[in-house]
Amino acid sequence: MTMDAPPRVMSGASGRPLTLREHEVTFGTATVGAALVGELEASGLMGRGGAGFATSKKVELLRHQRGHHKVVVVNAMEGEPVGHKDRTLLSANPHLVLDGAQCVANLIGARRVAVCVSRKDSAIVNHVQRALHERERRGTGPEFILDTPPWRYVAGEESALVHWLNDNETMPQYRPQRPNVLHVGRSPALVVNAETCAHVGLINRFGALWFRELGTPSSPGSTLVSVTGAVHRPTVLEVALGTPLRSILRAAGADPDPLALLTGGYGGAWLSGEHLDVAYCNEDLRSLGATVGAGILVVVPKGACGLAETHRVVQWMANESSRQCGPCAFGLPALAEDLRTLLHDARDPHGVLVRLKERCDVIQGRGACRHPDGVVRLVDSALRVFAGHIDEHVNGFPCAALTTTRRWVTVPALEHESDLVWE
Amino acid sequence: MNRKPDHFVLRVDPILCDGFGHCHELAPELVQVDEWGYPIIHEELTSMTELTLLKSARLAVRGCPRQALRIERTNGPA
Ligand SMILES: Cc1cc2nc3c(=O)[nH]c(=O)nc-3n(C[C@H](O)[C@H](O)[C@H](O)COP(=O)(O)O)c2cc1C
Ligand code: SF4
Ligand code: SF4
């Protein structure tokens, strides 16, 4: 790890994936015993895919489902355009992820594991394929399959992945009850993020006490963070949860005195650059409206326009809506349009600001998946964190950042609606 | 202890819903519509003893052309 402790899930990273033999030399061989249930619960591992839900609770829910043909789905879709952690992990230690998936499969009694990597990441697809071949020759464990859905922001949402496995379509599905159990065919399915799997693989080997040596009591362990924006070079770091933000930025070679940080991802929240002393873990970040989310930090330096950065992200996110639900299909473009008006159009900015806030309240919680909620959270946080600067826009002061073309949050090019590939 | 559900709440499947807003006409007390015509459903639990409300909820469920509405029965706040 970059700060003081040695790396965990990134142990032995060497610029190419570890082979199965190298993997076993680095981490030791492992068998899955019944003790893992208790260890997993004691470890307090929280999912690293974004929601931050206790992995042991999800496993427990699936353990008590009937059926012999349960499925574990490893989510390595990495829908966040500014996230690189699952890719980095799979190009260093693919077998650790597969080990963890095997552990989870054992725990819930699944015989199949589907590893989902977006087909855009062809190098990662190759790494995983090679790793699976190596394991096949050993001939033990559950049946692994590699699946390559198209890359879309919402394709990594768990019901969308399951929909893909069922019907080759990466659109999220409506789930009336939560928590509920997703099904591939008639088999109960458990969706786990790739990084989460890697941590399970380590907990299986070294136990809960070891896992808790790093991190805070409610956010134990280490985590991967993708840092981009105003940095020396975009990086993925493994840090202990609870590390002060300032040290993470220093280790990443980031601007030490930024305007703000985008935390969690496009569906995350802005954090003002005044709060760099906060500990990087959900319990502390959430008190400031921010989140660990998918392990993303985008550094935005002073002089940039937070409103303009938010607008570009929201515009792209609106385009990535699967357009199945009215409030998302119509609401998100409306938010993007309001932001654009605030930035560029001088007519009635006060009214637009009021309308933007109302629309946020109206859209919140009304999609089949949480995609619109993420966008609303981002916009809400922008209105809070950049309130002073937004006032200047509303009152018609010129914004210096709009005269430059330098932007800090990487946003992919907008595709035309008819070019979006869902299957 | 298992109590018989004594409250209900109307739920919509946003993927099925077509946004023509019939439900708003059938149960205006429970359903508002947003600027795009999609239903905003009163989220608080309603007691089963509110018979007029329960009746309009049933009307909305039956009147929804996409069968996107459902009455969810739950236990109210204890
Ligand atoms: C719009 C949306 C997009 C998501 N994209 C991803 C993704 O790309 N990768 C991922 O691991 N989880 C993603 N998630 C979270 C998954 O739904 C799910 O919670 C997660 O994979 C569960 O794994 P975990 O418990 O290990 O975190 C997304 C969620 C939403 C609402
Ligand atoms: S909320 Fe948006 S992204 Fe999610 S299923 Fe509905 S339309 Fe698709
Ligand atoms: S009647 Fe049904 S389909 Fe029409 S707006 Fe209401 S919920 Fe949607």
Side-chain angles (χ1 to χ4, degrees):
Chain A
M1 226 163 301
T2 43
M3 269 122 271
D4 26 32
R8 287 183 165 182
V9 292
M10 291 303 285
S11 296
S14 65
R16 64 171 176 81
L18 294 190
T19 63
L20 188 50
R21 297 247 345 241
E22 291 167 336
H23 164 74
E24 284 171 350
V25 170
T26 312
F27 295 99
T29 49
T31 50
V32 192
L36 182 56
V37 180
E39 289 297 311
L40 193 59
E41 193 180 344
S43 75
L45 173 64
M46 301 292 185
R48 306 291 198 237
F53 192 73
T55 305
S56 62
K57 292 221 176 91
K58 289 172 53 165
V59 167
E60 207 53 29
L61 185 67
L62 262 285
R63 263 165 67 80
H64 294 116
Q65 293 294 311
R66 284 161 203 268
H68 299 295
H69 302 286
K70 297 177 194 171
V71 188
V72 173
V73 183
V74 179
N75 188 349
M77 291 299 292
E78 200 126 77
E80 290 282 352
V82 281
H84 308 283
K85 69 179 180 79
D86 294 331
R87 261 172 292 200
T88 307
L89 177 60
L90 282 171
S91 33
N93 286 328
H95 284 290
L96 188 59
V97 176
L98 300 179
D99 273 357
Q102 191 164 342
C103 293
V104 174
N106 249 304
L107 287 185
I108 67 169
R111 297 206 190 131
R112 268 191 302 160
V113 177
V115 185
C116 293
V117 185
S118 114
R119 63 177 77 139
K120 168 187 84 146
D121 298 320
S122 47
I124 310 300
V125 172
N126 286 341
H127 293 332
V128 174
Q129 203 144 39
R130 195 165 314 145
L132 289 181
H133 275 308
E134 281 180 281
R135 291 185 160 236
E136 219 164 66
R137 270 182 255 134
R138 297 271 177 105
T140 54
E143 176 200 357
F144 277 95
I145 52 167
L146 172 63
D147 217 323
T148 54
W151 181 78
R152 297 253 68 86
Y153 186 85
V154 297
E157 202 272 339
E158 52 190 6
S159 67
L161 265 191
V162 167
H163 195 183
W164 166 263
L165 292 168
N166 279 320
D167 293 328
N168 286 320
E169 199 176 48
T170 55
M171 296 201 179
Q173 293 165 298
Y174 174 60
R175 292 168 290 163
Q177 291 117 15
R178 282 166 204 265
N180 75 333
V181 177
L182 293 158
H183 287 84
V184 173
R186 292 172 63 200
S187 323
L190 179 61
V191 181
V192 200
N193 172 257
E195 186 195 339
T196 312
C197 286
H199 289 290
V200 174
L202 291 180
I203 292 168
N204 179 41
R205 288 181 166 82
F206 307 121
L209 277 179
W210 168 86
F211 185 73
R212 281 185 171 277
E213 280 168 17
L214 290 180
T216 69
S218 29
S219 298
S222 64
T223 195
L224 295 175
V225 200
S226 318
V227 196
T228 59
V231 292
H232 186 56
R233 205 157 60 88
T235 40
V236 174
L237 303 173
E238 184 174 6
V239 305
L241 282 160
T243 308
L245 260 186
R246 199 182 293 284
S247 337
I248 299 180
L249 293 190
R250 194 178 315 125
D255 180 349
D257 185 25
L259 170 71
L261 299 174
L262 177 57
T263 63
Y266 283 9
W270 289 101
L271 176 72
S272 160
E274 295 159 13
H275 297 306
L276 293 192
D277 291 313
V278 66
Y280 187 72
C281 56
N282 269 329
E283 59 275 24
D284 288 31
L285 286 174
R286 280 188 184 151
S287 66
L288 297 168
T291 169
V292 169
I296 283 166
L297 290 174
V298 185
V299 188
V300 174
K302 293 225 159 83
C305 176
L307 193 56
E309 301 288 345
T310 309
H311 167 241
R312 288 164 55 248
V313 172
V314 171
Q315 192 183 25
W316 187 82
M317 288 288 266
N319 198 41
E320 286 292 314
S321 158
S322 70
R323 296 177 179 78
Q324 300 182 99
C325 319
C328 178
F330 296 99
L332 299 190
L335 295 185
E337 180 55 24
D338 284 346
L339 289 167
R340 195 197 63 78
T341 318
L342 279 181
L343 272 173
H344 299 293
D345 217 340
R347 274 165 296 170
D348 189 24
H350 295 278
V352 173
L353 192 57
V354 172
R355 189 175 68 192
L356 177 61
K357 288 179 184 159
E358 285 171 2
R359 280 177 167 169
C360 280
D361 290 341
V362 161
I363 295 167
Q364 170 71 33
R366 288 180 52 229
C369 76
R370 302 225 184 273
H371 181 62
D373 301 6
V375 179
V376 165
R377 177 158 64 169
L378 180 73
V379 174
D380 262 343
S381 72
L383 294 179
R384 231 178 329 104
V385 171
F386 305 122
H389 184 69
I390 290 175
D391 263 352
E392 290 179 12
H393 272 276
V394 167
N395 292 317
F397 291 103
C399 171
L402 290 187
T403 58
T404 68
T405 51
R406 189 82 171 90
R407 297 288 178 263
W408 300 94
V409 185
T410 312
V411 179
L414 277 183
E415 286 168 78
H416 190 271
E417 185 182 333
S418 56
D419 294 335
L420 299 176
V421 177
W422 297 96
E423 52 192 7
Chain B
M1 190 179 71
N2 263 335
R3 280 193 296 149
K4 214 173 150 228
D6 50 5
H7 282 68
F8 74 92
V9 63
L10 205 53
R11 297 240 186 252
V12 61
D13 176 340
I15 294 183
L16 283 180
C17 171
D18 61 16
F20 285 112
H22 296 295
C23 45
H24 171 58
E25 282 159 33
L26 293 168
E29 319 90 316
L30 292 170
V31 185
Q32 309 284 307
V33 282
D34 63 18
E35 57 187 295
W36 306 285
Y38 290 88
I40 306 175
I41 292 177
H42 186 69
E43 274 175 22
E44 267 133 57
L45 301 182
T46 313
S47 165
M48 288 288 203
T49 54
E50 304 252 10
L51 290 178
T52 40
L53 284 183
L54 186 58
K55 198 167 157 219
S56 29
R58 288 207 174 114
L59 269 180
V61 169
R62 252 180 266 147
C64 170
R66 303 295 307 267
Q67 305 191 345
L69 290 169
R70 208 162 47 78
I71 292 176
E72 189 176 298
R73 287 151 212 273
T74 54
N75 285 321

